[in-house]
Amino acid sequence: MLQAVINAFKIADLRRKILFTLAMLVVFRIVAHVPVPGVDLAQYKKLLQDTGPLGSVFNVLSLFSGGGLQSFSVVSMGVYPYITASIILQLLTGVIPRLTELSKEGESGRNQINKYTHWLMIPLAALQAYGNVQLMASQSVLKNFNLFGGPNVINSWTIIVSLICGTMFLVWLGELITEHGIGQGISIIIFGGILARLPSLVGQLGGSGQGGNLIGVGLFVALGIATIVGIVLVNEGQRRIPVHYSRSIMRGGRMMRQAGSSFIPLRVNSAGMIPLIFALSIMSFPTIVASFFTTSTTDWVRQASISVQQFFANTSFSYNLIYFLMVVLFTFFYTSVQFSQQRIAENLQKQGGAVPGIRPGPNTDRFLNTVVTRITVAGALFLGVVAIAPYIAGAITSVPQQGFTSTALLIVVGVAIDTMKQLEAQLLMRRYEGFINR
């Protein structure tokens, strides 16, 4: 692998791509330390250190901000509004005829859908910015701040617009990485933010070890490594469906039949991390809403909001049980939507391909759907276990979760594998040996 990295830097074009990607990550980390005006950073850091339900929500939101939420910077919302817009457009593609037609038009259609995604991202970013500022104000991080009230109107617009522009800047940065660098830019941005938080998480884990729980820390690390291995195996696992092609060609004035064979790679985890994002968003919503009423003067409202926060605390059994079930259900839902949009059986029939022993058309479609459902059972259960892995590890080892999330682990491993594959493909194109000996 070291030799492959050396070979990559020997190639001028590949070296330029790698250095460009690193330079964009440096720019991202610099901007991530530019705070939004009007925020009491000292009080804000105390809020992030809170081990209660609200503190766990901020840790989750910080994940999707690429670490920008740690200092409530102008990029504190990260690329989450863009991810949300992408998911919405992808789900609507199979429902709205216009989007369905665009998805079949190749590169031009994808560009148009991407344009719609950018437009949808702006109102979603504005809505999230408004919610974040209201949440900050309710926790007195913004002292005596009445959003859009009285003399705070200009300051309110400054904060909201700064957060929206920060998100747009990160998306633009990610697209530059995709176009001129290595890897998928949006994922690289989140990846860089997670790695930036790694030293502090390791330091907290070391502090737990100094507290006398060395065995627990060792088990925690071992479970983390086992989870990483499992993620790699499941993400790379696939069921290959054999396909035979037969087409007529004209050769020497005579019509001849030409046969060939290939396979359809059906991935065990074709949904990726999307089910976890869905589930995390929904599970975080009750805690965020309840936080607005914890200081209510009405006793029953205050007690009810505190009970909701305790029920949806990420350290509670109830939270993790619901989280597990939601991840499993969303995995089946998203896989079904994504697979139906691919129209594999229809495309096979047009290309003269057929699965051995299965009639083309509806029968092939039913067969493929059955196979996808069966392998998704394993993928969904695995994702569910990975989702609650920090809770399981904490219960076994008595080590706090330390801000460790399974979604972060999935992102890091997935982006690392994808980037490695892209580098390997570039090396093999130039007849260099890749990362994996064949």
Side-chain angles (χ1 to χ4, degrees):
M1 182 173 178
L2 291 176
Q3 185 60 45
V5 173
I6 294 172
N7 290 336
F9 271 91
K10 288 180 180 178
I11 305 170
D13 181 55
L14 201 53
R15 181 172 64 249
R16 182 186 58 80
K17 289 178 178 289
I18 296 173
L19 293 177
F20 181 84
T21 302
L22 295 175
M24 293 300 100
L25 286 176
V26 170
V27 172
F28 159 59
R29 294 311 304 161
I30 292 173
V31 177
H33 288 84
V34 178
V36 172
V39 179
D40 186 345
L41 292 180
Q43 192 172 357
Y44 180 72
K45 289 180 180 178
K46 291 180 182 179
L47 180 62
L48 290 181
Q49 294 170 358
D50 180 18
T51 56
L54 195 58
S56 65
V57 169
F58 276 106
N59 282 324
V60 171
L61 295 176
S62 181
L63 167 68
F64 297 110
S65 71
L69 196 62
Q70 293 297 311
S71 57
F72 201 52
S73 70
V74 292
V75 294
S76 60
M77 294 195 305
V79 294
Y80 187 59
Y82 178 79
I83 294 174
T84 305
S86 299
I87 294 172
I88 292 174
L89 263 296
Q90 191 169 6
L91 294 176
L92 292 178
T93 298
V95 179
I96 301 177
R98 171 59 179 165
L99 294 178
T100 305
E101 292 176 4
L102 287 175
S103 66
K104 298 178 181 179
E105 293 180 5
E107 186 68 23
S108 61
R110 285 192 296 270
N111 290 337
Q112 189 64 35
I113 292 177
N114 192 38
K115 186 184 296 184
Y116 292 155
T117 304
H118 283 82
W119 282 110
L120 180 60
M121 173 190 69
I122 296 175
L124 290 176
L127 185 63
Q128 183 177 338
Y130 181 85
N132 285 357
V133 175
Q134 284 283 37
L135 189 59
M136 297 296 104
S138 69
Q139 302 300 315
S140 300
V141 174
L142 299 172
K143 292 183 178 179
N144 302 320
F145 191 81
N146 181 19
L147 193 62
F148 296 112
N152 292 319
V153 173
I154 295 179
N155 194 23
S156 299
W157 279 112
T158 301
I159 294 175
I160 299 294
V161 173
S162 296
L163 291 173
I164 295 174
C165 291
T167 294
M168 295 173 67
F169 176 76
L170 280 192
V171 172
W172 175 70
L173 213 63
E175 291 180 345
L176 283 180
I177 293 175
T178 303
E179 185 176 355
H180 302 291
I182 290 290
Q184 210 283 330
I186 301 297
S187 300
I188 292 288
I189 292 292
I190 303 176
F191 177 82
I194 295 173
L195 289 188
R197 297 176 57 196
L198 190 60
S200 63
L201 295 180
V202 172
Q204 293 175 20
L205 192 61
S208 300
Q210 292 176 0
N213 192 12
L214 289 174
I215 296 178
V217 171
L219 284 173
F220 192 91
V221 173
L223 288 172
I225 294 173
T227 304
I228 292 174
V229 173
I231 290 173
V232 173
L233 293 176
V234 173
N235 279 356
E236 295 301 298
Q238 55 184 227
R239 169 76 184 276
R240 296 185 174 184
I241 306 297
V243 177
H244 291 169
Y245 291 93
S246 179
R247 64 184 66 181
S248 300
I249 61 172
M250 183 70 69
R251 180 175 296 176
R254 294 192 305 172
M255 186 69 70
M256 301 181 63
R257 302 287 295 179
Q258 186 180 43
S261 61
S262 182
F263 62 86
I264 304 171
L266 300 178
R267 298 180 60 187
V268 176
N269 177 27
S270 58
M273 66 177 181
I274 300 300
L276 275 77
I277 294 177
F278 277 166
L280 277 174
S281 301
I282 293 177
M283 296 297 289
S284 300
F285 184 73
T287 304
I288 294 174
V289 173
S291 66
F292 291 106
F293 302 97
T294 53
T295 57
S296 174
T297 55
T298 306
D299 184 64
W300 71 268
V301 173
R302 184 174 63 256
Q303 294 298 327
S305 62
I306 293 173
S307 299
V308 169
Q309 285 191 336
Q310 292 174 347
F311 185 84
F312 286 96
N314 66 344
T315 55
S316 66
F317 175 78
S318 56
Y319 173 93
N320 285 276
L321 177 60
I322 298 174
Y323 187 24
F324 173 85
L325 295 175
M326 291 186 69
V327 169
V328 171
L329 291 175
F330 279 134
T331 302
F332 278 101
F333 169 73
Y334 188 75
T335 300
S336 175
V337 171
Q338 192 179 41
F339 184 75
S340 63
Q341 292 177 2
Q342 295 176 355
R343 296 180 176 84
I344 295 179
E346 180 183 336
N347 293 331
L348 277 179
Q349 191 171 15
K350 290 179 180 178
Q351 297 170 8
V355 178
I358 308 294
R359 295 185 63 181
N363 289 341
T364 299
D365 188 51
R366 283 193 293 269
F367 170 75
L368 293 177
N369 275 294
T370 301
V371 173
V372 168
T373 301
R374 288 176 178 174
I375 64 176
T376 301
V377 172
L381 292 176
F382 175 79
L383 273 185
V385 172
V386 169
I388 62 173
Y391 173 76
I392 297 173
I396 294 174
T397 63
S398 300
V399 175
Q401 296 185 20
Q402 310 289 347
F404 168 83
T405 64
S406 49
T407 308
L409 207 56
L410 272 173
I411 293 172
V412 169
V413 174
V415 173
I417 292 175
D418 181 62
T419 305
M420 185 186 72
K421 285 182 176 179
Q422 289 198 28
L423 281 173
E424 185 176 9
Q426 293 285 340
L427 289 171
L428 291 176
M429 285 173 58
R430 295 165 173 84
R431 299 183 180 180
Y432 278 100
E433 186 175 312
F435 291 101
I436 304 171
N437 291 326
R438 304 193 180 281

